[in-house]
Structures are given as C-alpha cells and as structure tokens.
Amino acid sequence: MSALSAASTAILEALSEGDINKLIDQSPYAKLLGVRCIQMGDEMLFHLPASEDNIGNPMLPAIHGGVIGGFMEVAAQLCVMFKVKTPYTPKVVDFSLDYLRPGRNEDSFAECVLVRQGRKVVNVSITTWQQTRDKPIATARTHFLLATS
C-alpha cells in the first residue's frame, strides 16, 4: 500500500474539516480560474468570478466556452470528492455540455447535483448561470469513475 501524497493528505484534512474551499486550494486549475464555493448547509454553490482573462470573444464580451466547461467540470469533480469523501480526483468518463446563452463577463455560479452514485461510477448534473438561476448559460451531465489511488 502506497503512502498518500502531501496533496492527498491536505485534501483529507480539508474533507475532515468539512471545508470545500480548502479542497479547492489543492486544485491548480480551480485556483487558476479563481473558483470558490459558498456552502449553505448541504447546498454548495460554486462561484467563478468575472475576469478579463476568461474573455473568449472581446466583441460581446463573452467568457470563452472552454472556461465555462472547465469551471463546470472542476466544480463537479470537487463536489464528488467532497460528498464521497475521497482524496483521489475522480476520472471523467464522459462530459456532455449544452451552451444555452453567451456567458457575459460577470460572476458565474454552478450547482452540481449527484444524480446517482454507484460503487465505481457517479452521475452528476451541473447547471451554470449568472444573474438568475432561471436563465442558465449552460447545463452539463457527466459520469466520473471513482479512483482508488
């Protein structure tokens, strides 16, 4: 049996403390995007702050689609790690994303719902919006393989 890495140990500490933002601090990509999480009881709301670095179309200006997709994927991964209480990053099996509206250079929010969890695979639904949940900018569905090492 191999020893946990320093990052895995830090992740386990974040999980034991119930602080998902400490878990986010262990994800280089989430840190690059500036992702944070607002916890309200059992509900977790992921936050992507507006940033000029995320602009893909300067004419609108709109957030690059890859940033929106990356935000949704990393939010779903972190949500699974937090709820399943695993120090290992789940592996993406598939990821299906629907862009519904242009993402303006405004704060964006994502909610992840674990639709089904088996022993090895987790199904997650993700919705991202900006000003109101009633007008999502993108929805996604993904399956993760739970990693054991």
Side-chain angles (χ1 to χ4, degrees):
M1 183 173 177
S2 64
L4 292 175
S5 68
S8 293
T9 302
I11 290 169
L12 283 173
E13 287 177 16
L15 293 173
S16 69
E17 293 173 10
D19 186 349
I20 194 163
N21 285 307
K22 287 185 178 178
L23 183 61
I24 291 170
D25 292 340
Q26 298 302 316
S27 169
Y29 189 60
K31 284 175 43 178
L32 174 72
L33 292 176
V35 174
R36 300 308 296 166
C37 183
I38 303 163
Q39 288 181 275
M40 298 167 287
D42 290 339
E43 186 178 359
M44 293 188 296
L45 194 61
F46 291 89
H47 174 233
L48 175 69
S51 171
E52 295 293 325
D53 293 337
N54 296 338
I55 300 297
N57 183 343
M59 298 300 285
L60 292 178
I63 299 174
H64 191 279
V67 171
I68 294 171
F71 168 55
M72 296 173 83
E73 182 180 317
V74 77
Q77 279 181 323
L78 292 164
C79 181
V80 168
M81 290 175 72
F82 191 76
K83 291 194 173 182
V84 175
K85 307 277 186 225
T86 178
Y88 305 110
T89 304
K91 310 277 188 274
V92 176
V93 175
D94 66 356
F95 189 87
S96 176
L97 174 61
D98 293 319
Y99 295 101
L100 305 175
R101 295 179 175 81
R104 304 291 181 184
N105 189 23
E106 300 173 2
D107 288 357
S108 302
F109 302 92
E111 180 179 48
C112 304
V113 176
L114 272 58
V115 177
R116 179 171 164 77
Q117 179 188 344
R119 286 186 308 120
K120 294 183 178 180
V121 177
V122 178
N123 177 301
V124 183
S125 173
I126 309 112
T127 303
T128 299
W129 68 91
Q130 292 187 313
Q131 294 182 350
T132 173
R133 286 183 191 212
D134 298 341
K135 293 184 178 178
I137 61 170
T139 59
R141 179 183 63 85
T142 186
H143 291 91
F144 290 111
L145 180 64
L146 294 174
T148 56
S149 59

